[in-house]
Structures are given as C-alpha cells and as structure tokens.
Amino acid sequence: MQKPATTGLILTGGGARAAYQVGVLKALVQIRQDIRPSDKSNPFPVLTGTSAGAINAAVLASHCDNFDAAVMALAHVWENFRAEQVYRSDSIGVIRTGARWLTMMSMGWVIARFRRSRPRSLLDNSPLHALLTHMVKVRRLHRLMRAGHLQAFAVTASSYSSGIHVTFYDAVQEFVPWLRSQRVAVRDAITIDHLMASAAIPFVFPAVPLNFDGAVEYFGDGSMRQSAPISPAVHLGATRILVIGAGRMHEPPGRRKVSDAYPSVAQIAGHALSNIFLDALAVDVERLQRINNTLALLPAEALASTSLRPIDVLVIAPSERLDDLAAKHINSLPLPVRALLRGVGVSGEGEDPGGAALASYLLFESAYTSELVALGVADTLARREEVVRFFGWKQTDEPYEPLAPVADTDFHTTELE
C-alpha cells in the first residue's frame, strides 16, 4: 500500500503582503468545510515560514489542534490591522528611529552625536513583539507535535554577523540537519525572538540577537540569501507542498507604463525588496518542476537507484500586482509614517508605482490588508478544482454549516495549553 502523502505548507516573506496568504488559507478552510464539514484537523503536518510568512506559520503551528479556528482568528487580525500593532507610528516613535536614521545618512558625517547614537533601523517594531506574544503560544508547539497534530515546524533567518542563512526547526522525530553552501539547518526550540529575527526587513526593522553555533549573532529577514525556499519542507519530510507567494509569479505580456524620471530611493528600495522576497521563489519552483519532469522520464530501475522523488507542488500567488493595490492605500498610513516615507520618495496615492512598491511591504493598515485577504480568497476559489485535486478531498454527505467569524482572542485550546 502506498504511504499517504505528507503535506507541507510554505509561507514566504513580504511584510504586509503576507495578508494575501491568510486569504488563501481562509479559502482553503471554506473549500474543505464545503466538502468535509466535520474535518478541522491540521492539513499541513509540515509548516515552514519566512519573514511575515514565519509569523503566519507560527500562529497556525501553535494552534494546529484546531486549524480552522486558527485561520479564522488570523484572518480577523489581518482584516483589522493597524500599523501601530507592528511598529511605532506615532511622531515620537518615528523621530527616534526613522527621522534620526535619515538625518544620520544625510548629515551624520558632520554631527558627532549621530556617530555615537548609531540608529539601528528606519522603524521601531517593538509593538510586534507584544502582538506575537499574544498570538503565538510557543510553549504548545512541542506538545502538539507529540500529540500528533504536527510533524515539524521551521522558520528561516539570515545572519548579518556571519552571512549564514539558517533554518531553525523543531520536530519530534529525528531529521538529519542539512548543510549547503551558506545555508544550514539547526534544531532549536522556536521562540518569539526567532520570529522577530525572521521578519526583520533589512534597514526597516532592527536585527535580533540569537544563539547560533555557540555564539550570539545578529539575524535579519530570512528572505535574504534564501536561494531555495522550498528546501526546508522537503528536508522535513513533505512529499506534497502548497506554496503561497506574496507577489505575482509571472508578469502579463506587454510593457508597463513607466516614468522617465530618475528613480527615487523608495523606488530602488522597493525593487530591492522585491528581489529579496519574490525572485528566489519563482526560481525554486521552476527548479522543482524541472526535477519532476526529469524524474518522470526515468525508468523504474533508475528511479529506484536515486534518492530523489517527485514532489507534488501547488503554487498560489496573487493574480494582481500588489504594488498597484498599495498605491491606492498609501494615504491610510499614519501621518508621521507618510511623512517619513515621503522623505525617501513615496509620493502619495498612485503617483509613483516605485514608491508604492516600498509601501506595499509596510502598509499594515486594514484598508490594504483586508483587500489582500479578499484577493487571496478570490484567487483560491477560482482554482477550487485544482485545490481539491491537490489535497485529494472527497465529497461527503454531511450538511455544510458555514464557519462563524472568530475573534483573535478565541483561539481553540485544549488540555495541551
């Protein structure tokens, strides 16, 4: 008898763009409940995440004994987000970080006190730590694994100190840690600090100190130098993988209208962040598909002699450009943040698509994030048949009862708490 597939979920980075992931998950819950109403089990024994995707994955992992409730609570947060829940958006907070940082960049060479102050980032994301402490119950993770709800959980971060790209993972069964060029895996108990490090967008949020290889190193966003985002799920035993992206995998044909003006700092920064968050995923998916196609050509004898196995992968990514959606909502950012971003070239509603690209990662405001959640739902429901086929879900005769809205405080807990 063929061994059942182990399904992995990969949630990539993208700051505020990660709201799209929650829309996809919300639609998956809706589709499954339509087909198998009583099934609330965790469909993803292997959960991996990077950057904001690591945060979403951690919420799911720490409440995977009622996956549907975890998704609905996560959706409630993203659909009602405020920037102040993620970073200091008041005037004093912005002046202490972003304004000081920009001043140092422009005038610090003539002002001695700026040399001593060494501002660490554009924004202060200390409010995010409080939000994660409320939403992610890290103490439950290993107990949920022992109870059979979860096989493995991993988050990825990048060390500024050594340049090493590190995947921190936790699991009940033994997995051989992998070692590749500039890319290693370390078994560790995942903490809030690991999530803060993984989501520390370069320059925007401060690096986080973590213990690694017997020393303390400073880590930032795990999307940096992430050449193989699908790899951790495969190493942790996934044989079927759902990948949810935070940007379009392929641009439509035709040339976009562009400005002939010299690019602003915001436009260049947005382009750099898109390279960090989006490009590696598209390349890795293409690599996996080529391997699958090659394995399909091998005779049975040759296939038996290699450790490689086909990996069924389903990729769901936005059908619209999130930069364009962000351009409509820049003015929903708090005034001090808008003023700060204006200083680097984010010029306002729809005027500068390049500036909107940078804003799309920082727009933790419900006007934008709720639209991304809705887009994720619509994109996934449009591929319903493909989703059902991927999971192998079979229709039951049980009556369908739509899920009631779940508040972020209504996470399901059991005696494992």
Side-chain angles (χ1 to χ4, degrees):
M1 179 180 293
Q2 187 176 4
K3 185 179 178 181
T6 299
T7 307
L9 175 64
I10 296 176
L11 299 178
T12 59
R17 289 168 170 246
Y20 177 84
Q21 301 170 354
V22 179
V24 173
L25 294 168
K26 190 175 178 181
L28 290 179
V29 168
Q30 180 179 333
I31 293 171
R32 185 173 68 161
Q33 287 302 305
D34 188 20
I35 295 173
R36 306 167 66 177
S38 63
D39 189 354
K40 295 180 174 59
S41 63
N42 176 23
F44 302 107
V46 176
L47 281 164
T48 70
T50 303
S51 191
I55 292 172
N56 285 338
V59 173
L60 298 177
S62 66
H63 300 280
C64 63
D65 47 339
N66 191 336
F67 182 83
D68 293 2
V71 169
M72 299 304 288
L74 198 54
H76 177 82
V77 172
W78 279 97
E79 289 170 338
N80 296 276
F81 238 137
R82 301 184 311 279
E84 65 190 40
Q85 294 174 276
V86 179
Y87 51 80
R88 289 283 302 273
S89 59
D90 58 290
S91 297
I92 294 177
V94 170
I95 290 172
R96 284 178 175 173
T97 54
R100 181 182 294 180
W101 191 80
L102 292 179
T103 303
M104 184 198 72
M105 294 293 289
S106 60
M107 301 178 59
W109 63 279
V110 297
I111 303 176
R113 69 187 182 90
F114 280 112
R115 298 178 192 172
R116 294 192 299 270
S117 67
R118 299 181 65 185
R120 297 185 173 188
S121 60
L122 192 64
L123 295 169
D124 172 7
N125 65 342
S126 55
L128 178 60
H129 194 284
L131 179 63
L132 295 183
T133 301
H134 168 67
M135 295 190 66
V136 181
K137 307 304 180 185
V138 293
R139 291 182 302 173
R140 302 187 78 228
L141 284 170
H142 209 66
R143 285 176 281 178
L144 287 168
M145 291 178 190
R146 291 200 308 269
H149 297 289
L150 186 66
Q151 177 173 305
F153 172 57
V155 301
T156 301
S158 187
S159 172
Y160 291 118
S161 305
S162 64
I164 301 294
H165 185 76
V166 183
T167 296
F168 299 94
Y169 73 93
D170 197 3
V172 172
Q173 67 183 89
E174 292 295 328
F175 290 97
V176 178
W178 52 100
L179 173 63
R180 300 292 185 270
S181 176
Q182 299 297 308
R183 180 162 56 93
V184 302
V186 175
R187 186 168 188 168
D188 202 353
I190 308 298
T191 67
I192 299 298
D193 284 344
H194 288 90
L195 303 179
M196 293 289 291
S198 183
I201 299 174
F203 300 109
V204 177
F205 297 143
V208 178
L210 295 175
N211 290 313
F212 171 64
D213 198 22
V216 174
E217 296 190 16
Y218 281 85
F219 283 81
D221 201 293
S223 297
M224 294 185 292
R225 309 193 74 176
Q226 188 175 40
S227 58
I230 297 176
S231 174
V234 175
H235 282 290
L236 293 171
T239 57
R240 178 174 66 191
I241 298 174
L242 172 64
V243 182
I244 307 179
R248 290 180 69 122
M249 296 291 290
H250 304 286
E251 289 299 316
R255 183 174 174 82
R256 282 175 55 82
K257 182 180 178 180
V258 296
S259 169
D260 58 359
Y262 190 85
S264 66
V265 172
Q267 190 171 349
I268 296 172
H271 183 73
L273 289 179
S274 294
N275 175 266
I276 291 172
F277 287 117
L278 307 180
D279 292 352
L281 176 62
V283 172
D284 206 25
V285 169
E286 291 177 359
R287 181 190 300 124
L288 179 59
Q289 290 170 340
R290 287 198 302 271
I291 293 173
N292 284 343
N293 291 338
T294 301
L295 292 175
L297 299 175
L298 295 180
E301 299 79 12
L303 188 60
S305 65
T306 177
S307 60
L308 295 175
R309 292 291 180 268
I311 301 292
D312 189 11
V313 61
L314 174 63
V315 181
I316 300 180
S319 59
E320 300 181 27
R321 286 181 59 91
L322 303 193
D323 301 4
D324 296 341
L325 296 182
K328 300 187 302 181
H329 299 293
I330 290 175
N331 287 336
S332 66
L333 282 166
L335 181 59
V337 178
R338 292 208 310 273
L340 176 67
L341 294 180
R342 195 177 301 122
V344 295
V346 178
S347 55
E349 192 171 310
E351 297 173 12
D352 181 4
L358 174 60
S360 72
Y361 296 95
L362 305 178
L363 255 166
F364 292 94
E365 291 290 339
S366 59
Y368 175 62
T369 56
S370 61
E371 187 169 354
L372 295 195
V373 171
L375 179 63
V377 170
D379 285 351
T380 308
L381 293 180
R383 300 174 63 183
R384 177 190 172 99
E385 292 184 5
E386 193 177 355
V387 168
V388 172
R389 186 166 57 251
F390 173 79
F391 284 99
W393 289 334
K394 304 296 183 183
Q395 184 74 49
T396 69
D397 295 328
E398 299 175 61
Y400 171 53
E401 295 182 6
L403 288 171
V406 181
D408 65 316
T409 55
D410 290 338
F411 283 109
H412 172 77
T413 56
T414 69
E415 66 278 1
L416 295 173
E417 182 68 60

